[in-house]
Amino acid sequence: MHLKLAGTAIAAALLMTGAAHAERLTDQPLVDAAWLAQHLGNESLVVLDIRDATNAGDLYAAGHVPGAVAAPYSAAGWRAQVGDVPGLLPTEEAIETLVSGLGVSNDSHVVILTGGESASDFGGATRVYWTFKVYGHDNVSILDGGYAAWAKANGELSTDAVTPVAATFDAEFRPELRAEVAEVNEAIESDVNLVDARSVAQFIGQEKTNTVQALGHIPSAININFDKFYDADKPAFASADIIAKLAKDAGVADSDGFIAFCNTGHLASIAWFGLSEVEGLPNVRLYDGSMSDWTSDPSRPVVTN
């Protein structure tokens, strides 16, 4: 399949601000390459290319979806460090400044695009998606399979850098989508499922990252390895049926909700996205501090098994 689009329509749309008839283009959390090609040039659409530069150079400059705005995951400011804890949700003011500067308003429909080469890479898209949702913006989707899927579909590419026209984005924090230490402590003693999205080796306490101070996991947690949610060979995110089976096989029970965690809230966003947005389960929260935050206080319990 070769995806064509009207370049003049895209160029015209990039000059427009404050769309008079802005709309939510879809209520689906994932869109495919054909959908994106069809909607390029729509005045409501903002495509954010969050691919980071690599040793091979600037991936955005080498070729990107026409009209996409560069917003690299590691460099743009999507996550913040507070004290010794990395990867936390930035402040409301910081996100308003970042998102407005990318040309996104409250009326925009955002499509997030990452490389799509692996589950971990796709986690950048799910984490940015969660950031939009937790700050009140529902008009957001992810390109399923990312740039890898766009390339596989022979999607048109551009090397013209897009300079966004600043917009106005007003955030509205939704605390029900984020968990902190208090909610995690409550979950240990309740029917809320704690879902550890890290590798099995990290879950059972054989390995840890440098940001985590102790081996093991939060008491009562079950493990669903993050890479089970994404098939890099297709490339595509797991279906709702596959995710439901993953949860069942891991021993997730009917409960009052879910809290996903990992080391710094990156991999956990994959599990959060799968459970909340794809399977459609209610009351799913992301503990963005995750094990880096939890183990920063040695009095908090961890277990190995």
Side-chain angles (χ1 to χ4, degrees), residues 20-75:
H21 302 288
E23 58 181 324
R24 186 175 186 183
L25 301 178
T26 178
D27 60 0
Q28 296 303 305
L30 292 163
V31 297
D32 62 18
W35 184 97
L36 182 56
Q38 179 184 354
H39 289 84
L40 285 177
N42 187 297
E43 61 185 16
S44 299
L45 179 68
V46 179
V47 180
L48 297 182
D49 187 333
I50 67 165
R51 292 178 296 161
D52 288 316
T54 69
N55 291 336
D58 186 340
L59 300 180
Y60 176 85
H64 53 265
V65 171
V69 177
Y73 181 60
S74 297

Side-chain angles (χ1 to χ4, degrees), residues 24-173:
R24 186 175 186 183
L25 301 178
T26 178
D27 60 0
Q28 296 303 305
L30 292 163
V31 297
D32 62 18
W35 184 97
L36 182 56
Q38 179 184 354
H39 289 84
L40 285 177
N42 187 297
E43 61 185 16
S44 299
L45 179 68
V46 179
V47 180
L48 297 182
D49 187 333
I50 67 165
R51 292 178 296 161
D52 288 316
T54 69
N55 291 336
D58 186 340
L59 300 180
Y60 176 85
H64 53 265
V65 171
V69 177
Y73 181 60
S74 297
W78 293 113
R79 304 205 294 169
Q81 178 154 333
V82 178
D84 293 330
V85 181
L88 295 176
L89 181 69
T91 65
E92 185 171 312
E93 294 76 15
I95 288 298
E96 287 178 337
T97 299
L98 169 61
V99 171
S100 296
L102 294 172
V104 176
S105 74
N106 294 90
D107 292 326
S108 301
H109 190 103
V110 176
V111 171
I112 304 160
L113 181 154
T114 189
E117 300 292 345
S118 67
S120 179
D121 171 83
F122 201 77
T126 56
R127 177 57 190 260
V128 172
Y129 178 103
W130 174 78
T131 302
F132 273 103
K133 296 283 280 194
V134 80
Y135 276 131
H137 194 70
D138 287 322
N139 297 359
V140 58
S141 306
I142 298 174
L143 176 61
D144 197 8
Y147 180 86
W150 184 259
K152 186 174 181 179
N154 294 317
E156 191 169 339
L157 297 177
S158 172
T159 56
D160 297 329
V162 174
T163 301
V165 177
T168 300
F169 180 83
D170 295 316
E172 185 175 344
F173 181 56

Side-chain angles (χ1 to χ4, degrees), residues 280-305:
L281 298 175
N283 304 321
V284 186
R285 288 174 283 180
L286 175 65
Y287 177 25
D288 60 325
S290 287
M291 289 299 291
S292 294
D293 180 48
W294 184 258
T295 61
S296 66
D297 182 342
S299 69
R300 295 179 190 138
V302 293
V303 295
T304 59
N305 63 349

Side-chain angles (χ1 to χ4, degrees), residues 217-268:
H217 59 265
I218 299 171
S220 80
I222 56 95
N223 180 230
I224 307 178
N225 194 321
F226 70 94
D227 64 6
K228 303 297 184 183
F229 289 92
Y230 189 75
D231 186 341
D233 292 330
K234 285 186 176 179
F237 203 81
S239 67
D241 289 343
I242 290 175
I243 294 168
K245 186 177 187 304
L246 288 174
K248 180 180 179 181
D249 290 349
V252 170
D254 292 337
S255 71
D256 293 330
F258 304 81
I259 295 175
F261 71 94
C262 56
N263 293 312
T264 64
H266 171 80
L267 303 178

